[in-house]
Amino acid sequence: MAADPTNARPPLLSVANLRVSIASDEGLAQVLDGVSLDVAEGRIVGVVGESGCGKSTLVRAVLGILPRGARTESGSIHFAGEDLLTLDERAMTRRIRGRAIGFIPQDPYLALNPVFRVGTQLLEIMRWHGDGSEDGAGPFNRARRARHRLWLIQILKAVQLPDPEQALDRYPHQFSGGQRQRLLIAGALACRPRLVIADEPTTALDVTTQLEILKLLKRLVAEFGVSMLFVTHDVGVVAQLCDEVAVMYAGQSVEWGGTGELLARPRHPYTVSLLACHPDRADGLVGIAGQVPSALAPPTGCRFHPRCGKAMAACAGTKPETTPSGDRHTVACMLYGVPDA
């Protein structure tokens, strides 16, 4: 995936040809098969696809929290010029997770421990993952914890949580779903990360609260100067929030481009079908025939070809190369260039 030509600096996060397999009792599952994407400084990149396409596995790979039995077979994950796949668990815990890369989980009802006050949980994030930039370096003591609390109150004000001073002394059950999500956003920003990964953070919320959270995230990206990787299955969310979009299908990258261009002129048949299912574009109930294949026995060649109305004979035998298709737009499809025999 090429970096933005208008930005001379390399991308903050660059995932290149990532292949991940997971051993199971039923065999080896090839969950990611050549996934690539870039996230430039200050940009919001959406990752979209059906459930089972490998989006959450991609997030786990970036954070270094793949399940036991998982193996990275090839590819690279570069963050700020450093290959994360070369770091050990200690380095990932102390320097990357929580500190350089923040994370907003999917379910606000399960992410917070119900038996501890909210302030206790958020302050622990800053204690163990903060580098001192939020309040000045120094030993951890009562004075520094007090400075952490003041900084956290500022963040809670930024995420528009009502009565932030008192909120830290409350328990999770005393907040609504939208308020809990704002707490999780605050936790992700507490240590001033350079990148925030949001794994479908609006899925458990009602539509009006979703809109509020999306507007909030877009404002906070600009206000805090962070980049964001936003994982979702909802193309409507992508349209409202993201600058670029990476489309995944069955563990493969199939299309990449600027949000406006990709939504207006999708190239890959899967992207076309996915967009056609959105209520704003469909006249009735519309779906894609078939289902996402199992990672245990994926189709050869292009993994979408059994469901594709434009499939050719070559699609079943050859994995399509990623090729340019317009300015800063790439697609992996035989319709846009069949490799030489």
Side-chain angles (χ1 to χ4, degrees):
M1 219 60 65
D4 187 344
T6 64
N7 188 346
R9 293 180 297 177
L12 177 63
L13 175 71
S14 181
V15 179
N17 297 314
L18 187 65
R19 290 173 56 88
V20 173
S21 61
I22 300 178
S24 71
D25 293 338
E26 299 177 7
L28 192 66
Q30 190 70 55
V31 289
L32 296 182
D33 181 28
V35 174
S36 299
L37 61 83
D38 289 343
V39 181
E41 295 272 5
R43 306 288 281 181
I44 304 176
V45 173
V47 180
V48 65
E50 295 171 274
S51 296
C53 284
K55 303 185 298 298
S56 293
T57 301
L58 172 63
V59 170
R60 287 174 173 268
V62 173
L63 293 173
I65 54 172
L66 287 168
R68 184 174 300 177
R71 182 178 59 151
T72 301
E73 297 182 353
S74 61
S76 63
I77 304 174
H78 281 88
F79 174 74
E82 185 173 27
D83 192 346
L84 298 184
L85 297 180
T86 65
L87 301 183
D88 58 21
E89 177 63 21
R90 180 182 177 86
M92 287 295 296
T93 300
R94 288 183 173 270
R95 297 199 290 110
I96 304 299
R97 288 194 294 263
R99 176 178 294 188
I101 302 179
F103 178 64
I104 305 173
Q106 179 176 352
D107 195 335
Y109 294 96
L110 297 178
L112 293 169
N113 192 318
V115 301
F116 291 102
R117 298 179 193 273
V118 164
T120 300
Q121 299 181 59
L122 297 182
L123 289 169
E124 282 297 289
I125 296 174
M126 299 179 68
R127 176 181 179 181
W128 295 109
H129 296 288
D131 62 355
S133 62
E134 68 281 347
D135 68 331
F140 188 81
N141 50 33
R142 288 187 178 182
R144 190 171 186 191
R145 186 177 179 84
R147 294 196 298 271
H148 281 185
R149 186 180 177 90
L150 290 176
W151 170 242
L152 197 52
I153 289 173
Q154 292 183 45
I155 300 177
L156 293 180
K157 290 179 179 178
V159 301
Q160 300 175 352
L161 190 76
D163 196 9
E165 292 86 353
Q166 300 299 320
L168 294 178
D169 295 323
R170 297 174 185 157
Y171 290 91
H173 73 270
Q174 296 176 283
F175 297 90
S176 68
Q179 290 173 335
R180 293 189 197 194
Q181 196 60 273
R182 291 170 192 267
L183 290 168
L184 297 177
I185 294 171
L189 296 172
C191 299
R192 297 184 184 272
R194 298 183 65 184
L195 172 71
V196 171
I197 298 178
D199 187 7
E200 303 196 42
T202 61
T203 299
L205 307 176
D206 62 77
V207 290
T208 55
T209 306
Q210 281 185 24
L211 182 59
E212 292 177 3
I213 295 297
L214 293 176
K215 289 180 178 179
L216 174 65
L217 287 173
K218 193 155 192 173
R219 179 177 63 80
L220 291 174
V221 165
E223 184 176 329
F224 283 80
V226 301
S227 304
M228 180 174 290
L229 183 64
F230 191 94
V231 177
T232 182
H233 61 270
D234 189 340
V235 293
V237 170
V238 166
Q240 296 179 60
L241 182 68
C242 300
D243 300 304
E244 287 93 27
V245 185
V247 182
M248 287 182 61
Y249 178 77
Q252 295 181 340
S253 295
V254 299
E255 190 165 0
W256 163 278
T259 301
E261 171 69 13
L262 187 141
L263 296 182
R265 286 175 290 279
R267 274 68 157 180
H268 198 282
Y270 175 65
T271 309
V272 173
S273 299
L274 195 65
L275 294 178
C277 296
H278 195 272
D280 290 344
R281 300 186 179 215
D283 295 329
L285 295 176
V286 177
I288 305 175
Q291 59 185 5
V292 178
S294 168
L296 291 166
T300 57
C302 173
R303 292 188 175 183
F304 186 61
H305 83 264
R307 306 171 71 186
C308 181
K310 297 184 178 181
M312 302 177 290
C315 299
T318 305
K319 180 182 177 182
E321 299 290 336
T322 298
T323 57
S325 178
D327 184 29
R328 296 180 56 240
H329 198 118
T330 60
V331 60
C333 180
M334 292 296 185
L335 294 173
Y336 296 87
V338 180
D340 296 333

